[in-house]
């Protein structure tokens, strides 16, 4: 399947791959903007990414709740962020928003609920 997909992408005889890519970019931008809106006022600082579907969320504003390992804090509460410490970004988590909106919404809901839980 992978070889057939690669061939279709590189040949794109009828323009359908380019049309799909454009729709995908619109979808990813909408997810990106949705994150900013949902996290507003939460104490989490969202980094607006360029040219990727991965973003950083700085947890310094809620460090009293998430501690020194924000990735572990959220993981224990059902959110699968990648801890930024793995990439040299202590106090941050990485979010992949290249997913269905309902999946993104569930992750954001869990994230905000985790911040509301008593320490």
């Amino acid at each position: 399947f992978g070889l057939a997909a690669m061939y279709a992408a590189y040949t794109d005889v009828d323009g359908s791959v380019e049309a799909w890519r454009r729709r995908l970019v619109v979808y990813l931008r909408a997810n990106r903007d949705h994150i900013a809106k949902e996290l507003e006022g939460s104490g989490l600082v969202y980094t607006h990414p360029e040219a990727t579907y991965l973003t950083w969320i700085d947890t310094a504003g809620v460090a009293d709740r998430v501690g020194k390992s924000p990735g572990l804090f959220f993981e224990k509460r059902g959110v699968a962020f990648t801890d930024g410490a793995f990439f040299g970004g202590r106090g941050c988590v990485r979010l992949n928003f290249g997913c269905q909106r309902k999946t993104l919404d569930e992750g954001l809901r869990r994230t905000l609920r985790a911040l509301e839980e008593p320490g």
Side-chain angles (χ1 to χ4, degrees):
F1 177 74
L3 185 58
M6 182 186 72
Y7 180 77
Y10 279 107
T11 56
D12 195 18
V13 178
D14 63 358
S16 61
V17 174
E18 177 59 18
W20 169 84
R21 187 195 67 80
R22 288 176 190 231
R23 288 191 310 272
L24 178 62
V25 168
V26 168
Y27 188 85
L28 290 173
R29 284 180 180 154
N31 271 0
R32 176 197 67 193
D33 296 344
H34 182 66
I35 295 166
K37 179 180 163 233
E38 292 298 309
L39 294 183
E40 191 174 322
S42 69
L44 298 171
V45 177
Y46 165 75
T47 300
H48 187 90
E50 297 288 332
T52 183
Y53 52 86
L54 302 169
T55 190
W56 291 101
I57 298 173
D58 186 341
T59 66
V62 293
D64 59 322
R65 287 178 263 171
V66 302
K68 292 184 179 185
S69 181
L72 183 59
F73 170 85
F74 286 110
E75 183 180 326
K76 288 181 177 179
R77 289 154 181 84
V79 185
F81 288 128
T82 304
D83 198 304
F86 181 75
F87 304 97
R90 293 208 181 283
C92 294
V93 291
R94 187 176 75 169
L95 170 65
N96 179 335
F97 59 87
C99 59
Q100 292 181 351
R101 177 62 65 88
K102 67 180 182 177
T103 303
L104 179 60
D105 279 340
E106 179 62 19
L108 293 171
R109 185 184 66 75
R110 289 180 188 188
T111 298
L112 296 173
R113 187 178 65 213
L115 294 175
E116 295 171 356
E117 291 178 4

